[in-house]
Amino acid sequence: MKYHIEGMDCASCIGKIETALKRMPGVSDVELNFATETLELSLTPGAPTQASDIEKTIKSLGFGISANTGQQTVSAIDIDSDNQMAPQDKRWWQTQKGKQVVGLGILMGSAYALSLLFPAYGIWVFAIAVIVGVFPFARKALALAKTGSFFSIETLMSVAVLGALIIGEAEEAAAVVFLFSIGELFESIAADRARAGIRALASLVPKTAILLDTQGGQRDVPAASLQVNDLVLVRPGDRVSADGSIVQGASSLDDSPVTGESVPVAKTMGDNVFAGSINIDGVLQVRVEKTAADNTIAKIIELVEQAQASKAPTARFIEKFSRYYTPAVMAIAALIIIVPPLAMGGDWGTWLYRGLALLLIACPCALVLSTPAAIASGLAVGARRGLLIKGGSALETIGKVKTVAFDKTGTLTEGKPRVTDIVAFTQEYLSSQDQGSQGQDEVLALFASVETGSSHPLAEAIVSHAEAAKIVIPVASKASATAGKAVHATIAGRALAIGSPVYAADEASISAEQQAQIEALQNEGKTVSVLFDEQSREVLGLVALRDELRDDAHEGVAQLKAMGVRSVMLTGDNRLTAQALASNLDVEWEAELLPEDKLRLLNEMKNNSKIAMVGDGINDAPALATADVGIAMGGGTDVAIETADIALLKSRVTDMAHLIALSRATMTNIHQNVIFALGLKGVFLITTVFGITGLWIAVLADAGATVLVTLNALRLLRFKGAPPLVTAPKVVK
């Protein structure tokens, strides 16, 4: 049986649902995927449990459920309107939890105003607000208890609030309910944003395709309807609608959504193309080889879902602690109230007073705030520094990583090709009489003239370089292109062309010396373009381009090394490029990787330590999801940013060190808060039991612990970043 579950905000929701279902007779093989909100289970025929019982149980826990029938989804929830908005389309204030927060805020504000106008009735007004606010949580706590989760965080919170209400601290009880509701809302928003990454992946494949019939006619059809062996037309600027092979035409294709290759790849008849790739400059006819359900993007989506589902559900710290803390405190309070009067003839009123005081001291307000207060401060200071962290779990985990895997293109590098070398070979055509900078300038001017008007990234890089150098670019005529191979133009009456070394080798005369120079540049990981005269077949010069390292890449990697964190570079680019850049950075590397290869390597590295993955491309989405922490560069694709746990909005490699330092500072702050909260309570628990301190001291102890925890958490707002690198002083002789 398959279901769709709504309202799961954190990994602990999985445990609550699984615990409830496993207690039901006949239910087995329960598999719940938090990322896709899908539930699969087996139900034994003839078992006492019916499908309606499963739906009723899950709804009683506060979750929505609908039965997945394969082709359509039949809702098991009452729908009030045919125009009901999809959950992912709602604003936060339109959701059930958003309405609850807004309602509680209005109720608490009204209670505070009425208490000022009618002080004598203030406590009763707050009491009404507390009862209304805590009712949904208490009802959920009761349902969880009935299904096996006896000491959930809802139970912990409900007991704390009702305990505070009983001893007259209605204002504090109301504040706890309100803050807890806000925390639940934040988790819901974070969960929806995480799931948006999967929806964004599907949008990469165009919704329509141009289908060619046997007579050569064209018609627009849904891309999802394409079948194997269909023939589709892909125009310049279009995204490829399906995985297939080229049967007619040639072009350069931007495969970065799939392979991460930084430079467009020239493809012609017989070459394979991927769904989602961008056709740059030629018209192609492609034969479909895979349906929409089996194409490359669909596989990437599946990898993301599997990676997110494979993450072990980690319950919140307070949820784990409450399994022991809540029953222990309740048992101790009950014993203090009952045992002394029965066993020692004590006064019932005195010991009831002490029991309630103990319950107030044990009220986990400070403990509940200890983690989220520090996390909130950490997230705030991170956002101020351009570190978008999508929740406390990611902030906690990143400080524990021992290995950071970097995608190369757009992460360690700029993601844009730059001109690195200009070589002038001949003086017969050039007006200059030397091979120096003036000769290079004239070669660059000819390159830019031929490339003017082309939208190819390499052409744009060459023209931009010439303009930045203030080179006068000659006017070209009769410009044309051989798709995926070369560009042509006539300058001063001579026909010139620019192509790859392979194309130039067939169309021009390349000497052994020139070939050696080309190979030397390629061995440095550079892409080489050759300028030659089409009539005389003479090679005039070379331009080499490379996607260069970010300005702060060296410093960023060095900072991580100083913090005891290992760096590894993973890329879909060729081995020569990867080796040249990795040697420059002094990092380990792996090259020519497809998405599944990156996934395999990350899983191998995860066996030894916690690992973070930093990327910016669509092809990085599965790796970002499977790593302990996925980190996206802010200048990358929306898909990478949505899939990742953290986004570096300023696209600085050095921010990785700041991120890890912030996480470690936050965790230190949390540990201090827990010690404050439990230590202070421990002291006053003892003094209260022996009658040394009374109710007012109990209230002060609880409030004092809360204030200490809050003030300590606020210290994180002064976080200054990772310590700067210490360089050895220069010795002056």
Side-chain angles (χ1 to χ4, degrees), residues 106 118 261 393 422 623:
I106 294 173
F118 308 101
E261 179 68 40
S393 178
I422 302 168

Side-chain angles (χ1 to χ4, degrees), residues 471-616:
I471 301 295
V472 178
I473 301 175
V475 178
S477 61
K478 298 180 182 180
S480 63
T482 302
K485 295 182 179 179
V487 289
H488 316 267
T490 299
I491 302 173
R494 299 194 62 170
L496 304 181
I498 298 173
S500 68
V502 174
Y503 179 80
D506 296 332
E507 304 294 330
S509 300
I510 300 179
S511 66
E513 181 184 352
Q514 292 168 343
Q515 184 63 34
Q517 203 151 5
I518 290 172
E519 291 176 359
L521 292 170
Q522 289 179 324
N523 287 335
E524 295 174 4
K526 298 172 182 175
T527 300
V528 179
S529 294
V530 181
L531 172 70
F532 60 92
D533 188 310
E534 293 189 284
Q535 295 172 342
S536 66
R537 294 172 56 88
E538 183 180 17
V539 177
L540 305 178
L542 309 173
V543 164
L545 304 96
R546 186 168 66 184
D547 185 12
E548 291 295 281
L549 290 170
R550 291 182 183 273
D551 294 336
D552 66 339
H554 288 94
E555 182 183 356
V557 170
Q559 282 183 315
L560 290 175
K561 186 175 182 180
M563 298 172 75
V565 179
R566 163 189 173 222
S567 298
V568 180
M569 184 179 76
L570 307 179
T571 179
D573 272 359
N574 62 76
R575 299 184 66 83
L576 290 175
T577 300
Q579 185 175 19
L581 293 178
S583 299
N584 197 349
L585 285 174
D586 190 24
V587 296
E588 301 173 43
W589 60 278
E590 293 285 347
E592 299 176 359
L593 303 175
L594 290 173
E596 53 266 32
D597 298 323
K598 292 181 182 179
L599 204 61
R600 173 181 52 80
L601 288 170
L602 285 175
N603 282 320
E604 290 175 359
M605 288 188 280
K606 281 177 68 176
N607 294 331
N608 301 320
S609 63
K610 287 192 177 295
I611 185 166
M613 172 70 193
V614 189
D616 81 320

Side-chain angles (χ1 to χ4, degrees), residues 55-133:
E55 295 171 2
K56 183 178 179 181
T57 298
I58 291 178
K59 284 193 282 186
S60 72
L61 300 178
F63 303 100
I65 178 172
S66 55
N68 188 348
T69 60
Q71 298 298 321
Q72 59 181 350
T73 300
V74 181
S75 177
I77 308 172
D78 295 332
I79 298 177
D80 298 327
S81 170
D82 294 335
N83 298 322
Q84 187 176 22
M85 195 179 300
Q88 62 267 24
D89 297 329
K90 293 181 179 179
R91 300 288 187 179
W92 68 265
W93 60 83
Q94 295 173 315
T95 64
Q96 181 180 351
K97 292 186 176 180
K99 292 176 182 177
Q100 184 174 333
V101 168
V102 172
L104 278 174
I106 294 173
L107 194 60
M108 283 190 62
S110 302
Y112 181 74
L114 288 172
S115 67
L116 292 178
L117 294 174
F118 308 101
Y121 300 98
I123 189 172
W124 298 106
V125 176
F126 271 108
I128 294 172
V130 170
I131 292 171
V132 172

Side-chain angles (χ1 to χ4, degrees), residues 313-562:
T314 54
R316 290 169 290 185
F317 167 76
I318 199 66
E319 176 80 15
K320 291 181 177 181
F321 191 80
S322 68
R323 296 176 186 174
Y324 308 98
Y325 183 83
T326 304
V329 166
M330 293 174 68
I332 292 172
L335 290 174
I336 287 176
I337 293 172
I338 296 172
V339 172
L342 293 179
M344 299 179 292
D347 177 64
W348 281 97
T350 300
W351 288 102
L352 177 61
Y353 179 89
R354 292 181 181 180
L356 291 176
L358 182 145
L359 193 61
L360 177 60
I361 292 173
C363 173
C365 299
L367 187 61
V368 168
L369 285 173
S370 61
T371 300
I375 292 293
S377 294
L379 296 179
V381 75
R384 206 162 56 213
R385 298 186 66 93
L387 312 175
L388 179 60
I389 307 168
K390 300 181 182 178
S393 178
L395 179 59
E396 177 181 348
T397 306
I398 187 62
K400 301 176 183 177
V401 301
K402 297 298 182 184
T403 302
V404 176
F406 289 95
D407 176 64
K408 179 188 74 67
T409 305
T411 303
L412 290 173
T413 67
E414 294 286 354
K416 299 177 182 178
R418 293 182 181 178
V419 174
T420 58
D421 300 87
I422 302 168
V423 180
F425 279 137
T426 180
Q427 295 304 313
E428 181 179 337
Y429 180 70
L430 301 176
S431 61
S432 173
Q433 297 302 312
D434 62 82
Q435 292 283 344
S437 61
Q438 190 173 356
Q440 292 178 354
D441 288 348
E442 294 203 29
V443 167
L444 178 58
L446 294 174
F447 263 98
S449 180
V450 176
E451 296 281 21
T452 299
S454 174
S455 60
H456 195 286
L458 296 182
E460 292 178 346
I462 291 172
V463 174
S464 296
H465 187 77
E467 291 174 346
K470 298 182 179 180
I471 301 295
V472 178
I473 301 175
V475 178
S477 61
K478 298 180 182 180
S480 63
T482 302
K485 295 182 179 179
V487 289
H488 316 267
T490 299
I491 302 173
R494 299 194 62 170
L496 304 181
I498 298 173
S500 68
V502 174
Y503 179 80
D506 296 332
E507 304 294 330
S509 300
I510 300 179
S511 66
E513 181 184 352
Q514 292 168 343
Q515 184 63 34
Q517 203 151 5
I518 290 172
E519 291 176 359
L521 292 170
Q522 289 179 324
N523 287 335
E524 295 174 4
K526 298 172 182 175
T527 300
V528 179
S529 294
V530 181
L531 172 70
F532 60 92
D533 188 310
E534 293 189 284
Q535 295 172 342
S536 66
R537 294 172 56 88
E538 183 180 17
V539 177
L540 305 178
L542 309 173
V543 164
L545 304 96
R546 186 168 66 184
D547 185 12
E548 291 295 281
L549 290 170
R550 291 182 183 273
D551 294 336
D552 66 339
H554 288 94
E555 182 183 356
V557 170
Q559 282 183 315
L560 290 175
K561 186 175 182 180

